[in-house]
Amino acid sequence: MEVKIEKQSDGSYIAYNTTGDYVTLIGTGDTVSEAKEDFKASYNGVKESYESRGSFMPTELTEDIDFHFDLSSLFEYYNMFNVSALGRYLGINPGLMRQYKKGDTYISDAQLEKIEAGIHRLGMELAALSIV
């Protein structure tokens, strides 16, 4: 099940499934972790309800949960990232990256793809390194 996590205008976070035909689940919280946990609690509660009734189990309740982040929620959850340094690594103006983190400015699909590809590249570099 694909679940999107977004920062809301009040600064809180919402997690909601974007796939599935029968069940819509929502989790909220002051942090991404709280929104994820609230979503998982909703997921488990609804799944238990279907199981206890012996009802048809919707496909979305049998799939693994796959969380997708907007940039604000990504940087809040993975707060070990120095957003300015990551911007320099990616070839993106550090000030612009800070605006993306705050959710203060529009980000194009092409820019999102550049950031995601750069983070994946960084992940591969980190996975391949050896510490001596």
Side-chain angles (χ1 to χ4, degrees), residues 32-51:
V32 172
S33 294
E34 289 176 5
K36 283 178 72 173
E37 289 306 311
D38 192 43
F39 181 88
K40 288 176 186 176
S42 296
Y43 174 90
N44 290 331
V46 170
K47 187 172 183 175
E48 288 172 12
S49 175
Y50 274 92
E51 289 171 344

Side-chain angles (χ1 to χ4, degrees), residues 90-92 109-119 121:
L90 300 174
I92 298 172
D109 289 341
Q111 192 77 316
L112 277 173
E113 289 174 13
K114 180 178 181 177
I115 293 168
E116 185 174 334
I119 290 171
R121 184 176 69 248

Side-chain angles (χ1 to χ4, degrees), residues 121-132:
R121 184 176 69 248
L122 175 61
M124 287 188 294
E125 289 176 21
L126 290 172
L129 71 78
S130 296
I131 299 175
V132 294

Side-chain angles (χ1 to χ4, degrees), residues 14-109:
I14 185 167
Y16 58 93
N17 61 305
T18 59
T19 57
D21 295 325
Y22 295 101
V23 177
T24 300
L25 301 167
I26 295 175
T28 60
D30 291 332
T31 66
V32 172
S33 294
E34 289 176 5
K36 283 178 72 173
E37 289 306 311
D38 192 43
F39 181 88
K40 288 176 186 176
S42 296
Y43 174 90
N44 290 331
V46 170
K47 187 172 183 175
E48 288 172 12
S49 175
Y50 274 92
E51 289 171 344
S52 69
R53 291 182 300 189
S55 300
F56 158 77
M57 183 67 68
T59 304
E60 54 266 34
L61 295 176
T62 63
E63 300 173 332
D64 291 336
I65 299 171
D66 185 19
F67 290 103
H68 296 247
F69 299 88
D70 71 358
L71 276 181
S72 292
S73 60
L74 173 83
F75 291 128
E76 190 275 334
Y77 190 69
Y78 294 101
N79 59 12
M80 72 287 296
F81 280 122
N82 177 303
V83 178
S84 297
L86 181 62
R88 286 189 294 277
Y89 172 82
L90 300 174
I92 298 172
N93 180 292
L96 185 57
M97 285 294 290
R98 289 189 298 273
Q99 290 177 29
Y100 291 154
K101 177 183 177 181
K102 290 182 191 175
D104 287 347
T105 190
Y106 169 77
I107 182 167
S108 69
D109 289 341

